[in-house]
Amino acid sequence: MRRVAVIGVGQSLYGVRSDVTMQELAWEAVKEALEDAGITQRDVDISVVGNVGTRGYELMPAQPVNDYIGMTPKGPIRVEMACATGLVALTVGYNLIASGSAEVVLAVGVEKMTEVDTPTSLAVGGRAGNYLWEFHFYGTTMPAGYALYATAHMAKFGTTEEHMALVAVKNHYYGSLNPKAHFQHTVTVEEVLKSRPIAWPIKLLDSSPISDGAAAAILASEDAVRKYKIDTPVWIAGIGYANDTPLLTRRKDYTTFQATRLAAEMAYKKAGIEPRDVEVANVHDAFTIAEIIAYEDLGFVKKGEGPKLIAEGQTYAGGKVAVNIDGGLKAKGHPLGATGLGMIYELTKQLREERSGPRQAPLKKYIALAHNVAGVGHVSYVVVLRR
């Protein structure tokens, strides 16, 4: 298996993007990634297009996107894994290069989610688990699923609504500093607590927005890194993946996501690191409780200590581990197909030390982690990056 590096990244503005088509949105990210890498479409062997495609007019977007971004006749491969689609696209590109099938791969994730209303979007999301057993009979949606985990965590570890609100405060703070974020404003604990309930204890300001957006990463072999004279390649040190049963009623513990724990163990082993080596991370905070549980499942703290970590401010830049200092899904946005690649975009910038002021994490080991989840812990992908 050959080593694989990220040599170029790009991301569109996230938000309500009624000003562009899906193809144009993808091009915003791809154009930036190509320029970042200093290459053109001619240098790319194949594209991997990540898209869920359940909330917009373009249900089969891979070919139209591939053609618009100038990649005909090279590809495309289309991948889908609900909210984890972005890191699945990265993994497919990684495997193409690591196996020797390609030298340079473009992974692009794109989603137009705001073309349907909120109730429709929630209904579509509810089908991401097990339609007949959970959504059809009981109407279980993503907020309801995460609320089950939140109440279980509260009951076992004393987690409070205030702890969850602190995650929103942190991520909105960093979103306010991110010109590509969907939400570029701060919030207070009081504002989060007073926002309307969605599925108690999850409230509106505990929830990530419904976003349009695109993100892209260009991956290359070691030979290609040398060929294109890449000064600061960011190496993919390890990828882990796992899934859990989509039937929440069959799970034994509602305070942890087994898929994340297993995916993290695999990624750490492949990268040859420990959780304490991670200096900056983007974790899947679709809801604020998800970030708290991720602290624990990724091994940043022991089980039950996630609330203490956020309460002490240890996940801000300069703390024990900087988490979601681009705003995370909570404030930067959550365009499903793009989310995981948006994490790679941010972490690549972090490892190159291209951020400024409070948005740059202090680094010594230059190790970062991306954590992308589908559904309510149904599937998890964890990627370790090193510079």
Side-chain angles (χ1 to χ4, degrees):
M1 297 290 284
R2 302 188 301 171
R3 294 178 73 204
V4 180
V6 179
I7 65 169
V9 288
Q11 185 198 304
S12 75
L13 170 67
Y14 285 5
V16 180
R17 297 299 310 275
S18 55
D19 57 314
V20 291
T21 65
M22 178 176 287
Q23 293 92 318
E24 291 168 330
L25 191 59
W27 175 240
E28 287 185 24
V30 171
K31 181 176 185 291
E32 183 183 355
L34 290 169
E35 292 173 350
D36 188 40
I39 65 173
T40 71
Q41 293 93 327
R42 292 189 298 273
D43 302 308
V44 180
D45 296 318
I46 190 170
S47 68
V48 182
V49 178
N51 176 264
V52 178
T54 51
R55 291 170 173 85
Y57 61 85
E58 200 75 77
L59 297 182
M60 293 170 278
Q63 177 57 30
V65 166
N66 192 67
D67 188 56
Y68 189 86
I69 65 176
M71 284 299 297
T72 298
K74 300 177 179 180
I77 298 173
R78 191 241 177 125
V79 299
E80 179 278 317
M81 186 46 68
C83 315
T85 295
L87 285 194
V88 174
L90 183 89
T91 300
V92 171
Y94 171 89
N95 286 333
L96 284 167
I97 295 171
S99 66
S101 297
E103 296 296 324
V104 180
V105 174
L106 166 66
V108 55
V110 60
E111 209 75 50
K112 289 272 283 181
M113 298 180 67
T114 64
E115 291 170 355
V116 298
D117 58 27
T118 298
T120 301
S121 188
L122 283 172
V124 171
R127 296 165 184 251
N130 187 287
Y131 171 76
L132 286 176
W133 182 246
E134 291 178 348
F135 182 77
H136 182 76
F137 287 120
Y138 305 109
T140 308
T141 61
M142 292 297 113
Y146 277 96
L148 293 173
Y149 276 78
T151 53
H153 208 275
M154 287 173 158
K156 188 169 184 178
F157 300 116
T159 307
T160 66
E161 293 177 77
E162 286 78 6
H163 287 129
M164 294 163 56
L166 288 172
V167 173
V169 169
K170 172 180 67 73
N171 293 355
H172 272 268
Y173 165 69
Y174 285 112
S176 73
L177 304 175
N178 184 352
K180 293 191 175 186
H182 189 156
F183 293 150
Q184 298 179 27
H185 60 83
T186 60
V187 298
T188 66
V189 169
E190 291 73 24
E191 287 171 332
V192 178
L193 295 177
K194 290 180 180 178
S195 62
R196 65 181 175 87
I198 303 300
W200 191 90
I202 290 172
K203 293 164 287 298
L204 181 65
L205 292 181
D206 286 302
S207 311
S208 58
I210 297 170
S211 309
D212 303 328
I218 296 174
L219 312 181
S221 67
E222 280 191 272
D223 288 342
V225 168
R226 286 190 290 268
K227 177 181 178 180
Y228 297 111
K229 298 180 172 63
I230 305 299
D231 294 329
T232 53
V234 170
W235 299 97
I236 298 175
I239 298 178
Y241 43 85
N243 77 294
D244 202 348
T245 172
L247 284 169
L248 299 186
T249 52
R250 290 182 179 173
R251 298 188 189 175
K252 298 178 181 179
D253 188 344
Y254 292 90
T255 67
T256 181
F257 292 116
Q258 175 178 257
T260 292
R261 289 189 290 103
L262 295 174
E265 289 173 8
M266 183 187 297
Y268 291 143
K269 183 177 181 180
K270 289 179 178 179
I273 67 165
E274 299 291 334
R276 64 175 177 269
D277 296 320
V278 177
E279 296 173 296
V280 58
N282 271 59
V283 308
H284 198 91
D285 61 319
F287 301 93
T288 52
I289 187 61
E291 178 166 320
I292 291 173
I293 293 175
Y295 298 158
E296 301 168 358
D297 288 345
L298 294 168
F300 299 153
V301 290
K302 294 179 181 178
K303 198 65 200 162
E305 295 182 357
K308 180 181 178 182
L309 194 69
I310 184 64
E312 293 178 347
Q314 290 297 320
T315 50
Y316 282 79
K320 181 175 182 179
V321 54
V323 178
N324 289 341
I325 59 174
D326 59 352
L329 283 63
K330 176 67 196 73
K332 186 172 83 168
H334 185 21
L336 307 182
T339 294
L341 287 166
M343 295 175 175
I344 299 301
Y345 171 82
E346 176 63 24
L347 296 175
T348 298
K349 296 286 188 179
Q350 288 287 336
L351 291 176
R352 292 177 185 167
E353 296 179 298
E354 293 178 356
R355 296 306 189 200
S356 59
R359 279 204 60 205
Q360 177 62 54
L363 303 171
K364 293 181 180 178
K365 298 180 180 179
Y366 293 87
I367 297 176
L369 177 145
H371 162 246
N372 201 185
V373 172
V376 187
H378 291 29
V379 176
S380 182
Y381 274 69
V382 174
V383 175
V384 176
L385 302 175
R386 305 187 74 151
R387 175 181 160 193

